[in-house]
Amino acid sequence: MIWNSVKNKPIHLIVSDDGVRNQLIQLLGKLSRKIKTFENANDFINEPISEAPACLITEIKLNDSDGITLIKQMREHGLSTPVVVIADGSHSVNTAVEAIQAGATDFIEQPIVERDFLERMQNILNTK
Amino acid sequence: MSEAQQIVSIIDDDEDVRDSLIELIDSIGLQVKSYASAINFLDEADINQAGCILADVRMPGMSGIDLQHKLNELDASQPLIIMTGHGDITMAVQAMKDGAFEFLQKPFRDQELLDCITKALEQDSEHRNKLESQHAIQELVNSLTAREREVIDKVLEGKVNKIIARELDISDRTVEIHRSHAMEKLGVKSVAELVKIMLSAQT
């Protein structure tokens, strides 16, 4: 694997649910990327970011916010970082459409299927 | 700026659905045309027509999603609203990522659809106006002579007349004349305006 600067960029996770976070960390381990986790949207927003992430993964429902609001805030600030939204299965087509319109790069439903998930992540990381 | 007549194209294989959509859209005074399939639409309609397209996701021959691919391929910018009776998130995500304007799940309220169409038409007209003004600027830029263009390019590089004159091996006075002619043709009075107009011609 070639370790250039883009490949070294971390993946940021904003996930309030412990189970989902653990599963994502385990799956993303296979991509040999640095991973930084945040439990809430505010932890992420308040963190001084020294290094722009290659990609951000957020749960649709966070303790203190939600993934779609977070994307809107980021896009308003001109941040074009790819964002993947993880939904918990109780969400409708409308939510998925709204997420993409807000600027989500992808919308993935739980249960997360390893192969499909990694393929979609690779696509995002490679086009970046 | 000329406002082209916008048409809402309805594509659905169900005649009853087509008829009720025509009636609804016609009721707010919009021009409507309908097609029984995406293939019919591609054959008969002018895809560069101003307006938007309303298509069912599942249709024999070509689905609403395939139609979006085809429109992308043809570089046709009309917004496509895809209607679906099936709550399939994967399909919705794919359609949106492919550039569909909206993915509407049935049953939807009439007003919801009309709002969506209104927004799609607004986007289409904004896009067309932008293209038109870009085109107009491009024409102005094309009206420059080769020498004027050369001088302007050097002005944009931040060079002063004296340097430009030396580089092009012409007199300062000639540079000045080319420069003022070019700026007059482009309708700009300052270098700042010149930069702005040349940048918008590029994009």
Side-chain angles (χ1 to χ4, degrees):
Chain A
M1 185 179 286
I2 308 157
W3 285 90
N4 59 30
S5 62
V6 175
K7 285 220 150 79
N8 267 324
K9 281 188 177 173
I11 295 173
H12 286 184
L13 289 184
I14 310 174
V15 180
S16 294
D17 184 282
D18 293 339
V20 176
R21 188 165 51 246
N22 290 338
Q23 189 194 7
L24 287 173
I25 292 173
Q26 187 241 328
L27 287 175
L28 292 169
K30 298 178 198 248
L31 296 176
S32 314
R33 290 264 179 172
K34 274 187 285 177
I35 301 169
K36 191 158 194 172
T37 62
F38 303 88
E39 265 182 53
N40 300 304
N42 273 321
D43 297 347
F44 168 73
I45 292 164
N46 295 331
E47 168 95 2
I49 295 179
S50 53
E51 187 179 22
C55 171
L56 187 78
I57 302 178
T58 173
E59 252 183 314
I60 187 106
K61 207 175 162 349
L62 297 164
N63 285 339
D64 59 347
S65 181
D66 67 88
I68 294 179
T69 305
L70 185 70
I71 295 171
K72 285 183 183 157
Q73 287 167 339
M74 288 177 64
R75 301 299 182 236
E76 268 168 28
H77 284 90
L79 296 172
S80 59
T81 310
V83 181
V84 175
V85 176
I86 307 285
D88 65 15
S90 69
H91 291 277
S92 64
V93 165
N94 290 347
T95 314
V97 169
E98 199 194 334
I100 307 276
Q101 281 176 338
T105 318
D106 209 342
F107 185 96
I108 297 175
E109 276 180 291
Q110 293 185 66
I112 296 168
V113 180
E114 174 168 339
R115 212 177 122 177
D116 171 62
F117 174 74
L118 291 177
E119 218 175 83
R120 285 158 90 159
M121 286 305 299
Q122 289 284 15
N123 274 340
I124 292 169
L125 295 169
N126 290 340
T127 46
K128 176 65 181 166
Chain B
M1 207 160 282
S2 67
E3 193 65 36
Q5 176 71 55
Q6 295 185 308
I7 294 178
V8 180
S9 303
I10 297 166
I11 312 172
D12 200 306
D13 55 322
D14 185 329
E15 198 181 342
D16 292 341
V17 173
R18 280 204 306 274
D19 286 345
S20 65
L21 287 172
I22 291 173
E23 199 180 322
L24 173 67
I25 296 164
D26 183 60
S27 76
I28 59 164
L30 292 171
Q31 290 279 336
V32 193
K33 277 189 186 167
S34 74
Y35 305 86
S37 74
I39 294 163
N40 282 357
F41 169 77
L42 290 169
D43 279 349
E44 295 165 21
D46 170 10
I47 54 155
N48 294 315
Q49 160 73 43
C52 71
I53 309 163
L54 188 59
D56 194 63
V57 71
R58 296 228 172 129
M59 294 181 292
M62 182 186 277
S63 72
I65 307 238
D66 293 339
L67 175 62
Q68 180 65 58
H69 290 163
K70 194 72 194 169
L71 292 172
N72 293 347
E73 215 178 283
L74 296 169
D75 209 16
S77 63
Q78 273 196 68
L80 172 64
I81 299 165
I82 299 181
M83 301 175 291
T84 175
H86 323 271
D88 187 336
I89 291 188
T90 313
M91 199 189 270
V93 170
Q94 195 54 49
M96 295 305 291
K97 286 205 296 192
D98 289 341
F101 180 75
E102 177 77 86
F103 197 87
L104 269 185
Q105 197 178 353
K106 291 177 196 165
F108 41 75
R109 287 174 301 114
D110 286 355
Q111 196 54 50
E112 211 176 321
L113 176 65
L114 293 176
D115 288 347
C116 183
I117 290 175
T118 309
K119 275 193 218 146
L121 292 177
E122 268 166 26
Q123 180 187 284
D124 180 64
S125 117
E126 267 169 36
H127 180 73
R128 276 169 211 280
N129 284 343
K130 204 172 141 200
L131 282 184
E132 209 172 304
S133 66
Q134 253 173 30
H135 186 72
I137 290 173
Q138 195 57 54
E139 296 230 307
L140 291 179
V141 173
N142 291 345
S143 75
L144 300 179
T145 64
R147 202 49 150 178
E148 284 164 355
R149 183 66 209 252
E150 221 170 355
V151 169
I152 289 302
D153 283 343
K154 290 192 185 291
V155 171
L156 292 175
E157 286 166 23
K159 289 172 179 154
V160 295
N161 287 359
K162 201 179 275 296
I163 304 287
I164 298 172
R166 196 185 307 151
E167 285 187 4
L168 296 177
D169 201 17
I170 51 181
S171 74
D172 289 13
R173 177 73 191 135
T174 312
V175 170
E176 217 167 281
I177 291 168
H178 284 312
R179 184 171 170 162
S180 72
H181 279 172
M183 289 183 56
E184 198 176 311
K185 280 186 185 172
L186 297 172
V188 296
K189 291 197 169 63
S190 66
V191 175
E193 282 179 293
L194 176 70
V195 170
K196 215 170 127 193
I197 203 169
M198 294 303 280
L199 276 178
S200 62
Q202 282 166 12
T203 48

